[in-house]
Amino acid sequence: MFKMFGNSHRKRSGYSGEWSQNYEHLKEKNAEQLTDELAELIEAAANGHCDMASIDAHLDALDEIDPLAFEIDVKASYNSFMSKHAVEMEREATRATVADVSVPRKKHSQNIRRLATLAAVAAVLICTLVLANSVNTSIFDAIAQWTSGVFSFEKEASFATIKTNPLAEGDSVSFDSLEDALNAFGITAPLAPQYIPDRFSLDEVCAANKAGNIFISAFYISNDGYIKLRYNQTAGSDFRDFEKDDNATTLYDCGGIGHFLIADKEKEKACWQNGEIECCITGNVTREELKEIINSIY
Amino acid sequence: MKNSSKRILSFLLTLCVISSLSAVIALAAVQSSDYLDSYRATVVAQSGGRIVILVDVSGCGIMDEIGANAIYLYESQDNVNFYRVGTYNHNDYPAMMTSDSTDYYDTPVTYSGTPGYYYKASVYVYAGKNGGGDQRNYLTESKRAIS
């Protein structure tokens, strides 16, 4: 058995005095006895009862009775071991370095991605809120409308159709009333209002056939404004764009049809789709008057 | 927080603020018109490859001038890549504008297209009164010319 701790241990611990006193009797024992006692001490150390001083003393005593045939240089042995297994040591060191760096880097990029996603979501939400606030409307209204300046109508219903066409392509004609015009084209679905505010009087009703598309218009005037009713035959595409102000567009249900109500400064507008006919009303009327006009259609 | 995370977050928040400001500014710039009420245009495909552009403009009352300032016609073989094939200006095509009217509803432009090809138009509608006026752009959907 080699010495576990060199002379430095004895010198450092300062056990020399006590050792001399407690372990003098070891000099009287032979090598075999010392070896047996050392084995017991080591077994006891393995079981948790470690008496280093006694182990050292036994080793020193063995050195005196039966010294090792060769010199042991611990430092030199360590250096020799390191140089023999240098490549493996380097690999271990590199692996440790890469592992140390790569795991944090992977975690780091994952953190960045999470943070970026959160920030993007927050940015979108903030933008939507500011936009909604700027148009003075609820957030859901803001999401529903495309811009505040133009409203484009895309909803379809399924009632009114043009059953007859008395006009040749390129022709236009005037009528005495809106009902006459609608009847001339065989439109039986409710499209013409029965109520127009008293201050307005009928100015003109006309119809035209351009490239096979029918257009009917009724124009009412008053001292300070007008009401215009327009009915366009559409092919389900190229819907009309309406000028509007920043107020939100609202949906008004009447007669089983949704009518979009649009504010445009001092004018109120309504537009809806009935079958193949795109209908709209524009006029210098109040929102309530507009609703009454719509109600009178059905 | 790491520097790169801070930079990304700062950039996104800056973008958010700029977008919000731009949106507010854009909204402030979009005004409803004192001249134009509503408008649309459509390309009509007729037999023999004929392409007709229908322009429909409603003015805010009786306008001194109402119609289309300019029309650009585009053609495509695949309905993806379009190329301009016609430019029409109301000075050269007087039928594109009418006067003293509340509405304009007409087909001022006809083009001899190729059956099977696609056509769409960019129309600049206009309404004016007492020296003032407004113009808006309307882009039609594409239609396929028929034989």
Side-chain angles (χ1 to χ4, degrees), chain A residues 126-135 142 146-149 246, chain B residues 15-30:
Chain A
I126 292 169
C127 271
T128 310
L129 279 168
V130 172
L131 205 65
N133 203 37
S134 67
V135 299
W146 288 102
T147 73
S148 72
D246 289 347
Chain B
L15 197 64
C16 158
V17 170
I18 292 171
S19 303
S20 305
L21 288 173
S22 304
V24 171
I25 291 166
L27 289 168
V30 173

Side-chain angles (χ1 to χ4, degrees), chain A residues 37-55:
Chain A
E37 285 178 10
L38 190 58
E40 286 171 11
L41 284 170
I42 289 169
E43 192 175 341
N47 290 332
H49 306 288
C50 184
D51 186 356
M52 289 311 303
S54 183
I55 291 171

